[in-house]
Amino acid sequence: MASLSIAGITKGFEATQVLKGVSLDIRDGEFLTLLGPSGCGKSTLLRILAGLEIQDGGTISIDDRVVDDLHPKKRDVAMVFQSYALYPHMTVRDNISVPLKMRRLSSWQRLPLFGRCLPNSARIRKEIAGEAGKVAKSVGIEHLLDRKPGQLSGGQRQRVAVARAMVRHPAVFLMDEPLSNLDAKLRVQMRAEIKELHRRLGVTFIYVTHDQAEAMTLSDRVAVMLDGELLQVAPPDAIYAEPNDRRVAEFIGSPKINLLDAVVRTPETIDVAGATLPVPTGCEPGTNIVLGIRPEAFHYVDRFAPGTLGARVHLVEHLGSDLFVHCDFPGAGAPLIARLATDRAPSLSIGETVHLGIDASRVLLFRPDGSRLPNREATVTTLRGRA
Amino acid sequence: MHAHPAASPAAVGNAARSRRRGEVLRACALVGPALLLLLVLFLLPTLAILGIALTDWQFGAQSLSFVGAANFQEIFADATFRASFGNTLVYVLIVVPGTVVCALVVALLIEADSRFRSFYRAIHFLPFMATLAAMAIAWEALLHPTIGLVNQMLAAIGAPTANWLRDERTVLPVLAIIGIWQNLGFALVLFMAGLKAIPRDLYDAADIDGASSWMDRILTVTLPMLGPVSMFVVIVVALRAFEAFDTVQMLTQGGPGKASELLLYTLYRESFEFLRTGYGAAITVVFLTIVVSLTLFQARVMDRKVHYS
């Protein structure tokens, strides 16, 4: 178990700056997810934590001990790779045993054939095989110990990789998109198992993914990364409800948040696509802002009323309990997407005009540069239309 | 399927039969050329050799007679053949491990640093491409007992010199070293391709698992992952070593005595210098048997040890 401190990490590959000064503190036993689209630098950060890459600047400490100059072996971290990186020529038992063999056997004892004849070698090897068996059992692969990775399914390989990481009781677990090679069903199942593993072991987990569902379900805290910068580090619910940056709001949530350009009319109201909304901003009149509305912040209104928004239905997706209604709205760049409860909305047909009410307490406001404008006293629940 | 719905069963049967005949003809037409070439270039000559090996035919002679296994009895009683066979084994046993180890070491060294990679690769591949006849002259000059560079350098550092190609004790090892030099580039290029194909993740995993020393990385990842390439290299180099002929012909003519007589050279002399075609054919059969069984044995044994992902 260990806490981890990352301070001002920078890293560039030739002309590209991949990490632009990332700082982050991770608590002992925490499950932290680095979430971001591909190429945002999250895997590079994880590799720097593991010691597989050397940062250009900044410091990494594990339990207040600076590890910048330490080899991966000495950092007491274990890593699960996206490709699992199992040794294809070794059986499952040997794969799991490698970390222990490297630590407990001397370099002479590790030599093929000859090493087995040295004193104590046989005893230590037997102990190691026993421990490998125990770990295999704890992840439910004890019946596969004599197979080779080529004979295993994706999920089984994943478990072997986890067992290999677990076997030497590391202080920190690093996981680099460990579920992305699995099919959807297995991914959900393994997600639950990883969560359970974290609970059981109680050690610090750092998990890299581009899948927000994984990040939201697994983590104690999510660190959203974009273009080599950390945008926000917060618990999953806070990341969703209170994003501090427009890019975070756009990245988290499916379907994506609806963004509309708006202008402050008075400190208490804003203009959006010809409608005036009672959204207090405290900004100077005439300031440009961006209004963010999550799909579920809309609700169905059966006929036009002041404070509703009329939009033409463009596509309806049925999800059982909910409907995703895609509609064209003048003034919005992309179609608006509203999530409506099936029992509260009648069957909608394409081309029809639907009236949507907005839960004004749940709208998010951003400055043109993307930073968040704090919500102020937003008590009015519908927008007052002028149409 | 194409038959008319109202057609009689007999007509349907005929249509099916003619279609099948058409398919057979097409298959023959497709396989035919390859089969013909295989027959003419490999199978018939082999059969012819087997036949000739049982006769006393001399090249150009008008008549021949069947002598049964007499040629084979003579082979196994012949001191020249025994010497030649022993020399060939020694030669192969030096060339194969020598080539594999040197090529692997050079490949690892070249891969360790990306600078000049293609330059080194080209340099090492050159001997494999070059005509050995021309190269043999260069080797002869280098190994010349008085004016050769090798002896001059050895003399300069006070080491003992030798008449490398005219001394019974040195001639076979020297030919083997030339053999290694000749095959090195071929093995090297294959090993470099093999090294490139090893996923980086495996080295990363080995790093995390604690296999950080040079030796551990090689034993844990590099060598096992090079298994299939190594097997191919060993088989091909062994075959090429068995077939060594041009160095012997150009540099030593099997001498001094029979110290550098190799199988293919013996075969050539019996068949084309002494014109004992029947006897030469019998040697060819023995040679072929050795080479084929060696290849099968290697493939069998190594296949079990080698991992193909």
Side-chain angles (χ1 to χ4, degrees), chain B residues 68-81:
Chain B
N71 282 331
F72 292 97
Q73 282 164 355
E74 192 186 338
I75 285 177
F76 294 116
D78 183 6
T80 306
F81 177 81

Side-chain angles (χ1 to χ4, degrees), chain B residues 11-43:
Chain B
V12 172
N14 276 343
R17 217 168 302 138
S18 80
R19 195 167 59 236
R20 203 169 314 132
R21 204 162 33 232
E23 259 174 34
V24 169
L25 279 177
R26 223 178 353 242
C28 287
L30 289 172
V31 176
L35 205 66
L36 192 74
L37 279 178
L38 208 66
L39 216 65
V40 171
L41 295 177
F42 290 99
L43 297 177

Side-chain angles (χ1 to χ4, degrees), chain A residues 71-294:
Chain A
H71 192 271
K73 182 182 175 179
K74 303 248 169 76
R75 292 190 180 193
D76 202 11
V77 298
M79 186 156 167
V80 177
F81 293 84
Q82 182 175 1
S83 63
Y84 316 133
L86 300 176
Y87 308 112
H89 56 285
M90 293 184 193
T91 60
V92 168
R93 179 183 283 111
D94 288 339
N95 261 289
I96 300 175
S97 304
V98 169
L100 297 182
K101 282 185 183 160
M102 290 299 159
R103 279 167 180 77
R104 297 195 194 158
L105 291 170
S106 70
S107 42
W108 288 106
Q109 286 171 327
R110 287 203 293 271
L111 286 179
L113 298 176
F114 172 72
R116 290 176 186 272
C117 311
L118 291 175
N120 285 334
S121 173
R123 182 180 54 80
I124 301 174
R125 278 169 194 271
K126 207 174 157 194
E127 278 174 19
I128 291 174
E131 282 179 51
K134 243 184 261 169
V135 172
K137 196 169 177 195
S138 75
V139 293
I141 51 166
E142 69 273 26
H143 57 293
L144 304 172
L145 279 168
D146 294 314
R147 299 235 192 123
K148 290 192 173 170
Q151 302 163 291
L152 304 181
S153 70
Q156 291 169 331
R157 285 183 213 188
Q158 161 79 54
R159 282 165 212 251
V160 178
V162 168
R164 182 174 67 178
M166 275 169 68
V167 74
R168 62 190 167 85
H169 308 292
V172 181
F173 256 81
L174 305 175
M175 298 194 156
D176 189 4
E177 311 227 10
L179 304 184
S180 55
N181 285 350
L182 303 179
D183 63 56
K185 197 175 158 203
L186 199 54
R187 207 178 301 163
V188 173
Q189 184 194 337
M190 290 306 288
R191 206 162 72 188
E193 288 188 22
I194 288 178
K195 182 89 182 159
E196 166 62 19
L197 185 73
H198 174 247
R199 198 191 53 75
R200 205 169 71 208
L201 300 176
V203 303
T204 313
F205 270 53
I206 302 176
Y207 188 101
V208 160
T209 185
H210 64 267
D211 180 350
Q212 47 168 310
E214 279 172 30
M216 302 299 257
T217 49
L218 286 170
S219 325
D220 296 326
R221 281 192 304 162
V222 179
V224 182
M225 275 187 85
L226 209 80
D227 297 333
E229 286 174 290
L230 271 186
L231 296 181
Q232 188 171 8
V233 185
D237 49 346
I239 287 271
Y240 186 78
E242 298 294 336
N244 65 3
D245 191 288
R246 174 183 165 158
R247 290 171 292 174
V248 176
E250 278 185 290
F251 191 72
I252 306 282
S254 175
K256 240 166 97 170
I257 191 167
N258 301 293
L259 292 170
L260 301 167
D261 289 326
V263 181
V264 174
R265 170 171 271 260
T266 70
E268 301 301 318
T269 56
I270 59 172
D271 278 351
V272 53
T276 301
L277 311 189
V279 177
T281 57
C283 293
E284 287 296 310
T287 314
N288 288 315
I289 60 166
V290 176
L291 174 68
I293 312 166
R294 294 264 183 218

Side-chain angles (χ1 to χ4, degrees), chain A residues 5 7 9 48 51 53-55 57-62 65-71 75:
Chain A
S5 168
I9 295 292
I48 290 175
E53 304 270 0
I54 305 298
Q55 67 268 35
T59 306
I60 291 165
S61 332
I62 298 178
R65 180 177 64 128
V66 176
V67 297
D68 295 338
D69 298 326
L70 290 186
H71 192 271
R75 292 190 180 193

Side-chain angles (χ1 to χ4, degrees), chain A residues 47 50 52 71-73 77 79 81 83 85-90 98-99 102-103 110 112 164 168, chain B residues 200-213 215-216 219-221 224-225 304 307 309:
Chain A
R47 291 173 59 82
L52 296 172
H71 192 271
K73 182 182 175 179
V77 298
M79 186 156 167
F81 293 84
S83 63
L86 300 176
Y87 308 112
H89 56 285
M90 293 184 193
V98 169
M102 290 299 159
R103 279 167 180 77
R110 287 203 293 271
R164 182 174 67 178
R168 62 190 167 85
Chain B
R200 261 225 65 79
D201 269 2
L202 280 186
Y203 286 112
D204 288 342
D207 250 352
I208 300 257
D209 287 345
S212 44
S213 76
M215 190 69 182
D216 282 331
L219 287 179
T220 316
V221 180
M225 295 303 286
R304 244 178 280 147
H307 160 82
S309 52

Side-chain angles (χ1 to χ4, degrees), chain B residues 192-244:
Chain B
M192 285 182 69
L195 285 174
K196 274 229 168 61
I198 300 177
R200 261 225 65 79
D201 269 2
L202 280 186
Y203 286 112
D204 288 342
D207 250 352
I208 300 257
D209 287 345
S212 44
S213 76
W214 181 84
M215 190 69 182
D216 282 331
R217 285 164 70 89
I218 293 218
L219 287 179
T220 316
V221 180
T222 315
L223 287 186
M225 295 303 286
L226 282 181
V229 174
S230 308
M231 176 166 131
F232 181 71
V233 169
V234 166
I235 290 178
V236 173
V237 172
L239 289 181
R240 283 175 55 88
F242 263 106
E243 290 166 3

